[in-house]
């Protein structure tokens, strides 16, 4: 074909279906993305219910690809996980988040915390605890202002190993948040053993939330469970005033979602806080 010889893998082409080819192309671009400095973080406010003040942000990874434009994590994280690239990318995320938080602290927002997402491969990688410790030291940050978000299903996969790693992270003084709660299958006994500080109700429950339906009952039950375990309750995906009011009434401590603030680049965060009170 005309394309033959342009790419090192082109001799596989006849056997390869279009999807596999697209994945290889993506992988090749992703491989150099870190060195080319193409990753950045967007930050979404986490606010005290119902409307502020803002207590911190969640860092959300973006890939600014010259070929593809701004790429959302769902489009490349699965591949980054499969190839192990997520470890290097994730280490960059942890350091960049700490660097940015230190800047904000220096600008007077010294009570803000920052949340970073950890995937299954990262949690299973032996270097994680050192990476987190080093990043906190390098940026001279109090460990308590770093929140590590781990999904319920990530924490459940290889549950005993996860417990050991999460205990080590907790020993550093960082906070652990159980993300996408309600979508996994954790037993209550396992939940009780998890060294978590916070539980995030999955957006799926929040989206359907309206007075009187099943989701309101489920959210109430999750909140009651979380409070019994001594956890702070965060709702994610809050998009309407109605959801904001209902979640507050049901007892959520912290809200996050487009209604309170969209994920934005660091330099746009302060301007985006018009609707929420700022510390
Ligand atoms: P997540 O941790 O559950 O993050 C919340 C996702 O919901 C984000 O999507 C956020 O932009 C979006 N969101 C926030 N508020 C609303 C809302 O009101 N409505 C709707 N419809 N969506 C809302 P995003 O940024 O595309 O991230 C998707 C997932 O990618 C994240 O889900 C997280 O699992 C993963 N992720 C993001 N950044 C990182 C990272 O640095 N490392 C790792 N390992 N995973 C990451
Ligand atoms: Ca998250
Ligand atoms: Ca989530
Ligand atoms: Ca999610």
């Amino acid at each position: 074909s005309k394309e033959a010889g342009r790419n090192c893998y082109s001799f596989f082409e006849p056997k390869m279906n279009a999807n596999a080819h697209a994945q290889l192309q993506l992988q090749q671009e992703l491989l150099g993305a870190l060195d080319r400095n193409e990753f950045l973080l967007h930050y979404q406010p986490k606010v005290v219910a119902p409307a502020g003040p803002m207590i911190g942000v969640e860092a959300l990874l973006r890939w600014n690809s010259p070929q593809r434009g701004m790429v959302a994590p769902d489009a490349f994280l699965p591949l980054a996980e499969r190839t192990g690239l997520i470890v290097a990318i994730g280490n960059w995320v942890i350091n960049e988040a700490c660097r940015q938080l230190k800047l904000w602290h220096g600008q007077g927002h010294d009570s803000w915390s920052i949340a970073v997402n950890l995937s299954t491969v990262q949690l299973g990688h032996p270097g994680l605890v050192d990476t987190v410790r080093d990043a906190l030291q390098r940026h001279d940050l109090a460990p308590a202002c770093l929140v590590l978000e781990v999904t319920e299903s990530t924490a459940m996969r290889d549950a005993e190993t996860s417990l050991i790693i999460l205990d080590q992270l907790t020993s550093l003084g960082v906070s652990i948040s159980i993300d996408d709660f309600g979508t996994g299958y954790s037993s209550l006994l396992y939940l009780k053993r998890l060294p978590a500080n916070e539980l995030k109700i999955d957006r799926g429950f929040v989206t359907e939330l309206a007075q009187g339906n099943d989701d309101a009952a489920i959210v109430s039950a999750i909140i009651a469970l979380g409070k019994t375990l001594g956890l702070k309750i965060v709702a994610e995906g809050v998009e309407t005033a109605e959801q904001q009011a209902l979640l507050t009434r049901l007892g959520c401590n912290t809200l996050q979602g487009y209604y309170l603030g969209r994920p934005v680049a660091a330099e746009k965060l302060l301007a985006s806080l018009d609707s929420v009170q700022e510390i």
Side-chain angles (χ1 to χ4, degrees):
S1 80
K2 271 194 219 155
E3 302 290 316
R6 264 193 215 166
N7 301 303
C8 57
Y9 51 82
S10 59
F11 79 96
F12 286 121
E13 243 171 325
K15 285 196 221 155
M16 205 180 282
N17 64 36
N19 183 53
H21 189 270
Q23 287 290 300
L24 258 184
Q25 178 67 40
L26 181 66
Q27 182 174 335
Q28 202 181 39
E29 291 172 28
L30 202 55
L31 261 171
L34 204 52
D35 287 340
R36 291 189 302 266
N37 219 359
E38 291 168 6
F39 291 109
L40 68 154
L41 296 178
H42 279 180
Y43 301 92
Q44 184 176 38
K46 287 172 118 167
V47 312
V48 175
M54 179 179 124
I55 51 173
V57 292
E58 178 176 359
L60 294 159
L61 183 61
R62 301 289 180 262
W63 175 24
N64 191 7
S65 155
Q67 286 84 16
R68 299 162 194 266
M70 199 65 89
V71 188
D74 290 339
F76 64 89
L77 276 180
L79 184 64
E81 287 263 297
R82 279 202 304 281
T83 56
L85 271 173
I86 187 63
V87 173
I89 298 171
N91 290 350
W92 177 85
V93 170
I94 291 166
N95 274 286
E96 177 63 12
C98 287
R99 190 190 66 80
Q100 182 58 57
L101 185 65
K102 187 65 184 181
L103 279 179
W104 280 323
H105 282 187
Q107 292 162 6
H109 310 289
D110 52 1
S111 65
W112 288 2
S113 62
I114 202 154
V116 168
N117 292 285
L118 293 183
S119 68
T120 308
V121 172
Q122 287 176 275
L123 195 64
H125 192 267
L128 177 65
V129 179
D130 284 342
T131 298
V132 171
R133 187 194 297 108
D134 291 351
L136 290 167
Q137 270 167 12
R138 179 173 313 131
H139 299 284
D140 186 29
L141 279 173
C145 48
L146 181 62
V147 181
L148 299 175
E149 296 195 2
V150 177
T151 67
E152 188 188 1
S153 30
T154 286
M156 280 304 289
R157 196 154 333 155
D158 198 353
E160 292 306 314
T161 308
S162 295
L163 275 179
I164 293 168
I165 305 297
L166 291 174
D167 276 331
Q168 290 175 355
L169 290 167
T170 302
S171 300
L172 295 179
V174 303
S175 287
I176 305 295
S177 174
I178 311 172
D179 204 352
D180 295 357
F181 190 80
T183 60
Y185 302 92
S186 342
S187 75
L188 296 183
L189 277 177
Y190 182 68
L191 263 187
K192 198 178 149 199
R193 291 171 63 202
L194 269 183
N197 313 76
E198 179 182 286
L199 178 161
K200 291 183 88 168
I201 301 169
D202 187 66
R203 168 152 56 89
F205 298 112
V206 173
T207 307
E208 302 295 314
L209 199 61
Q211 236 122 10
N213 72 7
D214 285 352
D215 290 274
I218 291 170
V219 168
S220 288
I222 291 174
I223 292 170
L225 171 65
K227 292 202 164 164
T228 303
L229 296 169
L231 304 176
K232 192 173 118 184
I233 316 290
V234 183
E236 65 177 10
V238 180
E239 293 182 348
T240 69
E242 190 194 10
Q243 291 164 354
Q244 176 193 40
L246 196 48
L247 288 161
T248 304
R249 202 162 53 69
L250 292 174
C252 281
N253 314 97
T254 307
L255 304 181
Q256 194 183 345
Y258 294 166
Y259 190 73
L260 290 313
R262 289 184 173 257
V264 290
E267 59 275 14
K268 290 192 181 148
L269 183 74
L270 293 174
S272 79
L273 292 178
D274 291 346
S275 57
V276 298
Q277 183 195 335
E278 211 210 308
I279 299 180

